[in-house]
Each structure stands twice: as C-alpha cells, then as structure tokens.
Amino acid sequence: MLQDKRILLILTGGIAAYKGLDLIRRLRERGAAVTPVLTRAAEQFVTPLSVSALAGEKVYRDLFNLTDEAEMGHIQLSRSADLILVAPATADIMAKMAHGRADDLASTLLLATDTSVMVAPAMNVRMWDHPATQRNLAQIKSDGVSVVGPNKGDMACGEHGPGRMSEPMEIVAAVEAYFGLRPLSGKRVLVTSGPTHEPIDPVRYIANRSSGAQGAALGQALADLGAHVVFVTGPAVVPPPIGVEVVAVQTAQEMKGAVNAALPVDAAVFAAAVADWRVEGASAQKLKKVAGDMPKLQFTENPDILAEVAQMDQGRPGLVVGFAAETDDVVAHATAKRARKECDWIVANDVSPETGIMGGTENAVILITDHGADPWPSMSKTDVATQLAARISDALT
Ligand code: CTP
C-alpha cells in the first residue's frame, strides 16, 4: 500500500503516455496521492483534462505560470513529493537530466529537486540503443536515479526490441520496492485455492461450495508484498489474482501434481477446499439412465496434499499453513487437525451455513499456532488476507 505517499508524476511525450493514465489509477488505488506534470510533447498524446480527472489533482504544465507560482512555486512542487516518477521517460528528458538542462517545467523540477527520482524509459529501440542514450542512462544512474525497464517487445513504431515502457503494475512494484513495501521480494510462495472437481463420468462431477475468494485474496496480498506466488487453483468462482503464476487444475490428484511441481517454496498456504474422496473408477463414458437402476458410486481417498507437504523430510517449506473449515467445536477440531497434519499454522473458520462465510465476502478466522488459538474479529476476506500475508511476511523475514 502507498498510503500517505505523494508522487510527482512527470509524463513526457511518447506513445506510452497513454499507459501513464493507467499508472495514475494503479498508484491511486494503492493510496498514493499523484501530482501530475505534463510536458508540451506529452500533451500531444494525452490531454491535461484526462490526466487531471484521473489524478484528482490539478495538472502542472508551465514553467512561467504566475498562478502556479503564487500557489506553489516550482521549487516547492519539486520537493513536496516523496518520489518523483518520470513515466514515460523519453530519450530527450533523459538527455536533459544527464546534462542538467532546465528549459521547461519538467526538466526544471528534476534539476531543482532533492527528492529521489525514478524513470521508466520508453522510446524507439534504435534511440534506446544509441550510444548517446546509453551514456545518458549511465550518467543518470550514477547520479542516483533509479530506472525501471524498458521491456523488450513489439513497439508502436513497428519495431521489436528493448524500448517499451514497463507495464504500470511493474512500475507500481518498483515504487513499492523503493518505499520498502515489498518485504517478500525474492520469496517464492505457493497458494492452493478453490474447490476441486472429482469426476463421476465425463459430464458429471462431485464438488463443494468453495468460491476461491479467500485463496485469491491471499494470493493477491502475498503478491502485493513482492512474493513470487504460484497459485494452484481448482475451478473457482472468483478470478485468480493479478501478477501471480496461475496453475489451473480440476481434481485433487492434479492439484497434488501441480503442488509438487511448484516446490521448493519458502512458504506454502493451503486454502483450497480439496475433495477428501474421489469416485473410484470414474466412467470414461457418460453413464446412461436405466429405469429403476441407480448407479453405485464407490469412493476412494484423495491424497492429503497439505499433510504430505508438511511431513516432507527434505525440502519442506519453511512455513506450512493449512485452513480448517469446521461447523462445530472449531478450535478443538482445528487444533487436532494442525497436530495431525503437522502444519505450522491453521487458519480455522466456522463454515456453518448461518455464518454466510462459504461463498460470502466476510470471514471470521481463528489463527492456531504453537502459541495457541488467536481469534480475529470478523472482517472482509481481503482484510483477512492482508493481515495473514503480513504475518507470513514477518515469519519469513
Ligand atoms: N487439504 C489438502 N488435501 C486434502 C484435503 C485437505 O491439502 N486432500 C488441506 C486443505 O487445503 C486445508 C486443510 O487440508 O488447508 C484442511 O482440510 P479439511 O478438509 O478441512 O481437513 P480434513 O483433514 O479433510 O478433515 P475433515 O474433513 O475431517 O474436517
């Protein structure tokens, strides 16, 4: 989260300026205040009105604007931010920064500031590769400017190679890393989520009511803290998180295979509602209805994925977290489950229909660790995820 952070966002003139609009939205979603500055060239690509509307703030454009100078001089504007972000940064602005030129508002702000500066370059691949740009890049880096991207790929000008501006979410990640808000950077975390579907025949299956909401929220919260999340999901109702590695499965056995393939990990969180049983010898053909003759389903036990990982002799994740969905004696059952499965923590909840938790947006959990049972107040599944991710982060760092 970027709550209480003020970012001075300078948009310079390139086709990637349109991504600057999404960047403003993403930064504000995370609580940052965004003060936008547009160069004359940027105004050829995005309008001051759209930038101002998205930022919810006035757009600064002119160096010699008497009203702006009376309200907030350019020196103060350059210093009131926690970070100055130049996105997209053209070859031209990088050249001005490298040479200390100040011939418009954006370059003057960058010269007058004592605030940290981050740039997200965007330009044609030849311009990026040009020795002059590479010299300027080396110069601004040695002046302490941090650089995000550019990425390789197809460019608006029809060429291919490095020069595409990083995606808005990559820039947000770099901003969060700058503020030390990504403590799980470099950590690999596995999350299982959603129900499993156990086939009876090719068209029928046995399932459960898990929506996958809590697992998805948790995957998102862990990714937001910088973790590389491998998100192994059964057929859930809610979409998977953004910015995670999604592995989609149907059955418990497929989930087990995907979990094993994802190892080793620093932490593994098992939020999936895995079917305990599957139909033995599921039919390869659709079962036909025969009057008066009911199919007799035989069940066989599914692998307990959580227990198998928690009980690994070698390569066990540093932290193994299970969930326990109970309908009675929640603490007693969940505590016994933690001991039986040998996981480090159990996140227990009461899923009796009257609680509305299964398929709902709220959750009331009890975190069971070797320190005992800690009941959390009822809160949204997103808040449960944020708090649990913070606890996981504390445990791993
Ligand atoms: N789990 C798993 N593999 C299974 C069954 C469960 O990984 N085959 C995980 C779940 O993801 C969850 C935890 O184990 O983290 C608890 O699952 P639950 O079904 O509640 O526990 P059970 O051992 O099946 O106990 P019971 O059904 O008797 O409550």
Side-chain angles (χ1 to χ4, degrees):
M1 277 301 186
L2 293 167
Q3 219 72 43
D4 304 325
K5 303 292 181 214
R6 174 161 289 282
I7 292 166
L8 186 73
L9 175 65
I10 298 177
L11 293 106
T12 65
I15 186 71
Y18 80 91
K19 286 199 218 168
L21 299 178
D22 191 31
L23 177 61
I24 295 173
R25 203 168 61 85
R26 301 287 186 179
L27 289 167
R28 291 197 66 206
E29 267 171 12
R30 282 162 175 72
V34 178
T35 306
V37 175
L38 278 181
T39 63
R40 281 272 172 269
E43 287 182 30
Q44 302 296 318
F45 295 94
V46 289
T47 68
L49 188 61
S50 50
V51 170
S52 166
L54 282 166
E57 289 197 25
K58 153 190 186 98
V59 179
Y60 292 86
R61 303 152 64 192
D62 291 321
L63 184 54
F64 302 110
N65 181 314
L66 288 179
T67 321
D68 287 357
E69 283 303 308
E71 284 172 3
M72 185 193 271
H74 61 262
I75 301 285
Q76 199 195 334
L77 184 60
S78 75
R79 296 186 188 166
S80 59
D82 297 300
L83 177 71
I84 299 186
L85 178 61
V86 190
T90 55
D92 183 52
I93 195 79
M94 287 171 61
K96 284 180 181 170
M97 290 168 75
H99 293 273
R101 292 198 57 185
D103 64 353
D104 63 359
L105 180 62
S107 53
T108 303
L109 291 172
L110 287 160
L111 195 61
T113 193
D114 53 6
T115 303
S116 295
V117 177
M118 181 181 288
V119 298
M123 67 197 71
N124 168 274
V125 55
R126 295 270 160 76
M127 290 170 84
W128 174 254
D129 284 339
H130 196 285
T133 304
Q134 291 301 313
R135 251 192 335 265
N136 293 334
L137 177 70
Q139 181 63 55
I140 63 173
K141 277 187 177 172
S142 82
D143 291 343
V145 170
S146 46
V147 181
V148 198
N151 291 344
K152 276 191 186 151
D154 290 330
M155 308 194 45
C157 54
E159 291 188 58
H160 184 88
R164 272 170 69 103
M165 187 173 86
S166 295
E167 293 306 315
M169 285 307 292
E170 293 175 275
I171 299 173
V172 169
V175 169
E176 289 180 329
Y178 165 78
F179 287 117
L181 296 171
R182 294 175 73 83
L184 289 178
S185 282
K187 302 282 184 205
R188 186 176 165 87
V189 180
L190 165 76
V191 177
T192 70
S193 184
T196 61
H197 284 184
E198 306 298 331
I200 296 171
D201 65 19
V203 296
R204 303 182 179 93
Y205 57 82
I206 293 171
N208 61 66
R209 293 186 194 281
S210 167
S211 65
Q214 188 61 81
L218 194 55
Q220 190 67 68
L222 290 161
D224 287 347
L225 291 181
H228 177 100
V229 175
V230 184
F231 189 75
V232 177
T233 177
V237 177
V238 298
I242 295 166
V244 304
E245 181 185 333
V246 179
V247 185
V249 298
Q250 295 282 325
T251 66
Q253 283 177 301
E254 286 172 15
M255 186 171 276
K256 174 184 147 104
V259 164
N260 288 339
L263 299 175
V265 294
D266 296 290
V269 185
F270 294 85
V274 185
D276 287 324
W277 315 281
R278 66 178 180 277
V279 177
E280 194 169 44
S283 171
Q285 282 85 39
K286 186 181 170 197
L287 298 178
K288 299 306 283 179
K289 188 169 53 181
V290 179
D293 189 12
M294 304 301 152
K296 288 177 189 58
L297 299 181
Q298 276 292 328
F299 288 95
T300 185
E301 214 171 307
N302 268 330
D304 190 324
I305 310 166
L306 164 62
E308 285 184 11
V309 171
Q311 291 163 20
M312 282 170 70
D313 289 331
Q314 280 184 340
R316 181 191 192 274
L319 181 70
V320 178
V321 183
F323 274 67
E326 309 290 346
T327 53
D328 56 285
D329 280 341
V330 178
V331 172
H333 280 138
T335 304
K337 200 170 277 182
R338 173 174 173 266
R340 192 169 66 244
K341 301 203 183 203
E342 298 181 28
C343 54
D344 303 303
W345 302 351
I346 282 265
V347 183
N349 57 12
D350 184 345
V351 292
S352 312
E354 60 273 19
T355 64
I357 286 174
M358 208 93 173
T361 54
E362 291 275 308
N363 204 353
V365 305
I366 302 167
L367 181 63
I368 297 174
T369 65
D370 56 0
H371 297 303
D374 177 17
W376 293 6
S378 177
M379 58 183 101
S380 71
K381 288 184 177 175
T382 315
D383 287 346
V384 169
T386 308
Q387 295 201 17
L388 198 57
R391 290 287 289 262
I392 291 170
S393 172
D394 283 349
L396 291 186
T397 52

